[in-house]
Amino acid sequence: EAKVEELNKLQKQIEEYVKQEAERQGLESTANGFRLSPQAYKLFQSKLLQEIFSDLEAARSGRHTGPIVGEGAVEIERTKPYEFGDSVAHLDLVGSFTNAMIRRAANPASNAPGTAMLHQDDMLVHRTRNNPKCATVVLLDMSGSMRYGGQYVQVKRMGLALDALIRREYPGDFLRFVEMFTMARLVSAPDLASLMPKLVSIHSPVVRLRADLANPETNEALIPQHFTNIQRAMQLGRQMLSVQDTPNRQLILITDGLPTAHFEGQHLYMLYPPDPRTEEATMREANLCAKENITINIFLLPSWSQTSEDVKFAQAMAQRTKGRVFFTGGADLDRYVLWDYVSMRRKVIA
């Protein structure tokens, strides 16, 4: 009886621990298991989205609040004095007639019969903005290292939050997700929650592997899946973005450090510790993205194995491609240090 009571006590402790861990990861318990809590969907609130979607150019559709002010289709609250050539379709009637009444009250002579009620100097027109459309591909790191510390949960939370908020705020946008590991593959938004990091199948401190995928005898199922192939993920994203009819194209890379796999033609290299050869191949792909005006936003998650080399690589890739690096801080990923090579500035987002 004492042992049964002890087991019951242990079970309650385990249940309480699971509950606390779920809450810490932004999950809540339901009749059908755990699901993301509303707090998880607040990760990318207005400040963060504004940073990601800043500096957009005019495109054909979408609802981004871009910086372009001119002969657009959407009126904004700000007005300006009418100038010759301005469209009267954007005339601010209330403001214009208010100006006319103020002028007539200040100058009774202007009320003489036959004078126009509204002068050109009274007229105000609404400033307008164009509607930039953005195409985004999110690259989600599901390599073996994301298992440690539950990093993969944070990656999925960020992906799901992005999906919910972008689709709600910017419904005209193109949005796709890529799972990144030794290879890379397109995944649908409904499948994000079920993604899991790849099992580490090689525990040697030094790995130097090559697979010839052009060889029909190569069995892809036997290739270790737990490496990080940022090059291939970016290439897949670039191919999808290059056909999108908008000047605003971007990759959002969520990872914890350096790449450990890359392609050279049909040869797949898996190199650990991270090798300069892989870094150079990844940087070449980043440069191809930059040539196609694809902005790279990197979210660098902290990890136990992260070194200054991981940070330097992320900064170098963002700087060379005029992108951004978001260094996360806080267990709930609610604080970021932003290095913005688009606007050449650094700031803290809380």
Side-chain angles (χ1 to χ4, degrees):
E1 185 177 343
K3 289 185 177 180
V4 172
E5 185 178 344
E6 208 173 302
L7 285 173
N8 290 336
K9 185 177 179 181
L10 180 60
Q11 183 177 357
K12 288 181 180 178
Q13 289 176 346
I14 293 174
E15 290 174 353
E16 182 62 27
Y17 174 76
V18 171
K19 180 182 177 182
Q20 291 176 358
E21 282 296 300
E23 290 176 354
R24 188 175 68 84
Q25 295 294 346
L27 302 172
E28 61 183 9
S29 180
T30 68
N32 298 319
F34 289 103
R35 70 177 183 184
L36 287 170
S37 66
Q39 183 182 6
Y41 288 100
K42 296 180 181 178
L43 291 172
F44 291 91
Q45 292 180 341
S46 58
K47 286 185 180 179
L48 198 54
L49 283 175
Q50 184 177 348
E51 295 294 342
I52 295 175
F53 292 101
S54 63
D55 302 307
L56 298 182
E57 298 179 29
R60 295 181 179 179
S61 63
R63 291 198 298 117
H64 294 278
T65 305
I68 300 143
V69 176
E71 284 299 312
V74 180
E75 292 182 350
I76 57 180
E77 293 182 0
R78 288 185 299 158
T79 58
K80 71 180 188 72
Y82 172 84
E83 296 176 352
F84 179 76
D86 285 339
S87 173
V88 294
H90 300 303
L91 185 67
D92 179 6
L93 293 175
V94 175
S96 299
F97 279 101
T98 298
N99 286 344
M101 288 187 286
I102 294 174
R103 173 181 53 78
R104 290 166 70 89
N107 184 13
S110 64
N111 297 331
T115 59
M117 172 64 183
L118 193 66
H119 291 178
Q120 179 174 325
D121 292 341
D122 303 326
M123 297 169 64
L124 297 174
V125 292
H126 285 284
R127 293 181 182 271
T128 60
R129 67 166 182 261
N130 293 297
N131 289 330
K133 178 184 178 183
C134 191
T136 303
V137 175
V138 184
L139 313 179
L140 306 166
D141 191 346
M142 283 292 134
S143 62
S145 64
M146 304 310 289
R147 180 176 297 275
Y148 303 106
Q151 291 285 65
Y152 71 97
V153 176
Q154 297 178 353
V155 173
K156 293 196 291 186
R157 287 170 63 195
M158 296 171 78
L160 287 165
L162 268 174
D163 178 64
L165 286 169
I166 291 176
R167 293 190 186 283
R168 185 180 71 229
E169 298 296 328
Y170 312 125
D173 277 9
F174 173 88
L175 177 63
R176 295 293 184 272
F177 295 90
V178 171
E179 180 188 14
M180 181 174 68
F181 47 105
T182 303
M183 311 285 192
R185 68 182 184 95
L186 182 67
V187 295
S188 63
D191 291 333
L192 291 180
S194 63
L195 291 180
M196 293 295 292
K198 308 307 177 187
L199 291 173
V200 177
S201 56
I202 301 176
H203 298 279
S204 172
V206 178
V207 179
R208 293 291 183 268
L209 295 177
R210 184 184 70 175
D212 183 2
L213 298 187
N215 188 342
E217 295 183 4
T218 300
N219 188 345
E220 291 190 24
L222 298 180
I223 295 176
Q225 301 292 296
H226 62 273
F227 292 89
T228 308
N229 197 334
I230 298 177
Q231 176 215 33
R232 176 55 181 156
M234 288 198 303
Q235 182 185 48
L236 194 58
R238 176 173 59 83
Q239 290 170 348
M240 286 187 282
L241 292 174
S242 64
V243 297
Q244 298 306 310
D245 186 20
T246 174
N248 307 302
R249 298 188 292 266
Q250 64 177 348
L251 292 173
I252 296 179
L253 169 62
I254 308 173
T255 186
D256 65 344
L258 290 168
T260 53
H262 73 279
F263 277 96
E264 293 181 14
Q266 292 295 318
H267 288 91
L268 171 64
Y269 289 84
M270 293 153 280
L271 307 175
Y272 184 85
D275 191 274
R277 190 170 178 176
T278 302
E279 295 178 30
E280 290 168 6
T282 304
M283 201 65 76
R284 284 196 297 271
E285 179 57 39
N287 289 334
L288 290 176
C289 291
K291 286 182 180 179
E292 297 193 26
N293 296 317
I294 296 173
T295 300
I296 300 178
N297 297 292
I298 305 169
F299 283 83
L300 192 63
L301 305 181
S303 70
W304 66 271
S305 61
Q306 197 170 84
T307 67
S308 60
E309 295 303 314
D310 299 274
V311 175
K312 289 178 182 177
F313 180 76
Q315 286 182 315
M317 186 158 60
Q319 186 172 18
R320 286 173 62 173
T321 60
K322 296 183 179 179
R324 305 178 184 91
V325 183
F326 296 82
F327 297 101
T328 63
D332 295 324
L333 300 180
D334 56 354
R335 294 185 299 278
Y336 301 85
V337 175
L338 165 64
W339 288 74
D340 189 344
Y341 295 100
V342 177
S343 304
M344 298 304 295
R345 60 198 172 92
R346 182 179 66 176
K347 66 185 295 187
V348 175
I349 306 172

